[in-house]
Amino acid sequence: MSLRFVHDPVLAPALRTRIVELWVEVTNAGGAVGFVAPVTADEVRTIADPTLAGIADGPDRLLLGYDKDRLVAMAILTDPRFHLKTHLRVLTRVMVHPDTQGRGFGEALLREAERTARDIGLAGLQVTVRGGLGLDRFYRRLGYREVGRWPGALRVAPGDDRDEILMWLGLNRDRHERSEAA
């Protein structure tokens, strides 16, 4: 079964609640989306509310994935809010509901984010991933490459520091490959 994507939906209260619920479920299943389990809806709202405001009132773009009528996937194309970086976006809050893992929804979500980025004329997508979970292998398989690593930047628990891995997908591959070869 494939996902149905919705771009930049109206963020009505019911949808905001569904987004927070997805975020909580993903986090509590071990997902690396800004929190460490266990987390409550109230805790997630401390980040979700300003994040959703950046979508409703600002330049960020929201991509939601539905399996039938159920929200199961989300990604945000976040504007870096810096005039020298208007040609790229940072993928944030990339998540797929834990009970849908292994069905190709993560790949479909990222391919749709890439299509969206190309459609709006962007040159690249950046994403940071938490080390130690194998997420970097997933992104590499989809064409992203590691361009930096901050050792021990993420403290997920006392004595458990993880690398923050910076990954990049160039959307104008020919030009990007030529500039790297020079």
Side-chain angles (χ1 to χ4, degrees), residues 4-182:
R4 174 179 57 88
F5 291 105
V6 176
H7 297 259
D8 302 318
V10 173
L11 290 167
L15 180 56
R16 289 172 182 260
T17 297
R18 290 172 71 191
I19 289 169
V20 169
E21 288 169 352
L22 174 63
W23 204 331
V24 167
E25 290 182 44
V26 168
T27 300
N28 286 339
V33 287
F35 295 93
V36 176
V39 70
T40 66
D42 286 339
E43 291 168 317
V44 167
R45 277 190 207 92
T46 65
I47 300 299
D49 288 346
T51 298
L52 296 175
I55 294 163
D57 302 330
D60 300 337
R61 307 282 306 268
L62 177 61
L63 175 59
L64 298 178
Y66 289 86
D67 181 14
K68 298 181 182 166
D69 290 329
R70 180 178 175 223
L71 176 62
V72 296
M74 178 175 106
I76 302 169
L77 284 80
T78 304
D79 186 295
R81 292 167 174 76
F82 181 56
H83 70 281
L84 297 179
K85 293 184 177 182
T86 59
H87 60 292
L88 64 91
R89 292 296 179 274
V90 180
L91 284 178
T92 58
R93 312 308 174 208
V94 177
M95 60 185 87
V96 173
H97 195 282
D99 70 10
T100 65
Q101 296 290 324
R103 295 174 56 188
F105 289 175
E107 180 173 347
L109 177 67
L110 287 171
R111 296 289 184 217
E112 186 68 16
E114 180 180 345
R115 272 190 293 281
T116 300
R118 286 181 192 280
D119 287 349
I120 60 177
L122 298 177
L125 291 171
Q126 171 192 328
V127 66
T128 58
V129 300
R130 185 183 300 172
L133 299 174
L135 297 170
D136 52 320
R137 287 191 304 274
F138 170 73
Y139 283 95
R140 273 191 196 93
R141 187 171 57 78
L142 298 176
Y144 288 76
R145 64 187 177 92
E146 182 176 329
V147 294
R149 184 178 287 255
W150 188 357
L154 304 171
R155 179 157 291 159
V156 297
D160 187 2
D161 294 349
R162 306 283 178 90
D163 290 359
E164 184 173 46
I165 305 167
L166 176 64
M167 303 194 80
W168 173 257
L169 178 68
L171 299 175
N172 186 345
R173 295 185 198 281
D174 292 338
R175 185 175 140 221
H176 185 69
E177 289 170 1
R178 283 194 307 269
S179 68
E180 280 189 345

